[in-house]
Amino acid sequence: MSDLLERLRDRGWRLTAQRRVVAEVLDGDHVHYTADEVHARAADRLPEIARATVYNTLSELVALGEVLEVSTDGRAKRYDPNARHTHQHLVCSRCGTIRDVHPTGDPLAALPEQERYGFAIAEATVTYRGVCPNCNDS
Amino acid sequence: MSDLLERLRDRGWRLTAQRRVVAEVLDGDHVHYTADEVHARAADRLPEIARATVYNTLSELVALGEVLEVSTDGRAKRYDPNARHTHQHLVCSRCGTIRDVHPTGDPLAALPEQERYGFAIAEATVTYRGVCPNCNDS
DNA sequence: TCTTGACTTAGACAAAGTCCAATGTAGAGT
DNA sequence: ACTCTACATTGGACTTTGTCTAAGTCAAGA
């Protein structure tokens, strides 16, 4: 994700301090922050950054396909910078921790033609839910 | 779902007019209402029913395993009375329409042991996304 | 360095859901 | 049938998450 900023500039993005900071916060492969968490971490480096700017920047990154939106629980959406390699998510039903996982096979193949009701299906997302080792101990 | 009320009474539920109306709204197999839609439909029959009551009742039905919570889009959760037969969902990315679908095989089996990170995994939910025939025409 | 259109800001607004104190009532016990 | 009380409901305030807008700011091309 270190060359993200170059890729964005190539696409005509105006490179502002705010956007740089948001991109830096999302740097790292196994991170699944909410918009507010991104905002808090961005504000550590750039205290006056506005919530709206974080929301705007995240939406742009999602539209550009650089970041994935993940909503596992009907609460705040989370943002996943690991958009290059398709993967699924494993969520702890107690503490909410999220891990990237890689199931075998293609989930799309499991849906027979007569179960597609004429939809042009583009993707399948799988969410595994269970209790993580940490929460299991207590 | 017609014997739902008996099952609930057997479990010690107090049978109030409000709960009866919420259960009746959810009767029917291919229904995926939001809490507010449930509230609106319940209010047709029982105008003074409070939003909080609908939320309470829905949460109880979910806790009892009689109704499933589905959050496909990070917006309002939807409530699915078809909790007896496991199934997955197919969602139109334009209009949001939801259909129940039945993929072959067990998605849990696709996650290898070394990808489980010690979690005690309880379930896998699959969401297929695509454009429905209706939206494809326009 | 000047200019300009794109970007950011603060705060109001909106949607979805939770919480609480006051009030009402289903059903057990008589 | 009547009473009692624990449980359920109500309405409204509140919280969380996210969107919108008008006014100000600034990156980058000329």
Side-chain angles (χ1 to χ4, degrees):
Chain A
M1 170 116 176
S2 38
D3 49 346
L4 170 60
L5 294 175
E6 278 99 287
R7 287 208 302 284
L8 296 175
R9 186 156 37 204
D10 289 350
R11 302 213 214 181
W13 243 39
R14 219 155 101 177
L15 202 34
T16 67
Q18 291 83 351
R19 287 173 167 180
R20 208 185 322 258
V21 168
V22 168
E24 281 168 11
V25 167
L26 285 177
D27 206 340
D29 257 352
H30 296 295
V31 148
H32 302 91
Y33 293 141
T34 65
D36 267 357
E37 286 167 353
V38 172
H39 178 239
R41 283 172 172 75
D44 286 347
R45 304 176 174 220
L46 192 64
E48 68 279 18
I49 190 171
R51 256 169 24 100
T53 300
V54 172
Y55 277 100
N56 288 342
T57 305
L58 289 172
S59 301
E60 288 156 3
L61 288 170
V62 169
L64 291 173
E66 297 287 350
V67 163
L68 295 177
E69 229 173 42
V70 181
S71 52
T72 51
D73 62 348
R75 317 257 324 164
K77 287 177 197 155
R78 296 184 168 269
Y79 292 88
D80 181 342
N82 182 11
R84 331 283 297 268
H85 309 294
T86 66
H87 62 278
Q88 306 300 339
H89 292 110
L90 170 55
V91 181
C92 175
S93 29
R94 296 240 176 99
C95 67
T97 297
I98 301 179
R99 304 212 55 146
D100 291 357
V101 293
H102 304 83
T104 59
D106 180 1
L108 272 178
L111 195 64
E113 188 56 34
Q114 79 273 12
E115 285 277 316
R116 300 195 178 198
Y117 301 101
F119 279 56
I121 302 185
E123 57 153 2
T125 63
V126 184
T127 304
Y128 298 93
R129 252 169 259 279
V131 181
C132 75
N134 246 334
C135 290
N136 225 347
D137 290 341
S138 31
Chain B
M1 171 118 170
S2 39
D3 49 347
L4 170 60
L5 293 175
E6 279 96 288
R7 288 208 302 283
L8 295 174
R9 186 157 35 204
D10 289 350
R11 303 213 214 180
W13 243 39
R14 223 156 96 175
L15 202 34
T16 67
Q18 291 81 352
R19 287 173 167 181
R20 208 185 323 259
V21 167
V22 169
E24 281 168 12
V25 167
L26 284 178
D27 206 340
D29 257 351
H30 295 294
V31 149
H32 301 92
Y33 293 142
T34 64
D36 268 355
E37 286 167 354
V38 172
H39 178 240
R41 283 170 171 76
D44 285 347
R45 303 175 174 223
L46 192 65
E48 68 279 18
I49 192 171
R51 258 169 25 100
T53 301
V54 172
Y55 277 101
N56 287 342
T57 305
L58 289 172
S59 302
E60 287 156 3
L61 289 170
V62 169
L64 291 173
E66 297 287 350
V67 163
L68 296 177
E69 231 174 39
V70 182
S71 52
T72 51
D73 61 347
R75 317 258 323 165
K77 287 177 197 155
R78 295 184 169 271
Y79 293 87
D80 181 343
N82 181 11
R84 329 283 297 270
H85 309 295
T86 66
H87 62 277
Q88 307 300 338
H89 292 110
L90 170 55
V91 182
C92 176
S93 29
R94 295 239 178 98
C95 67
T97 297
I98 300 178
R99 303 211 55 147
D100 291 357
V101 293
H102 304 83
T104 60
D106 181 1
L108 272 178
L111 194 64
E113 188 56 36
Q114 80 273 13
E115 286 276 315
R116 300 194 178 200
Y117 300 101
F119 279 56
I121 303 185
E123 58 154 0
T125 64
V126 184
T127 305
Y128 298 93
R129 254 170 256 278
V131 181
C132 75
N134 247 334
C135 290
N136 224 347
D137 289 342
S138 32

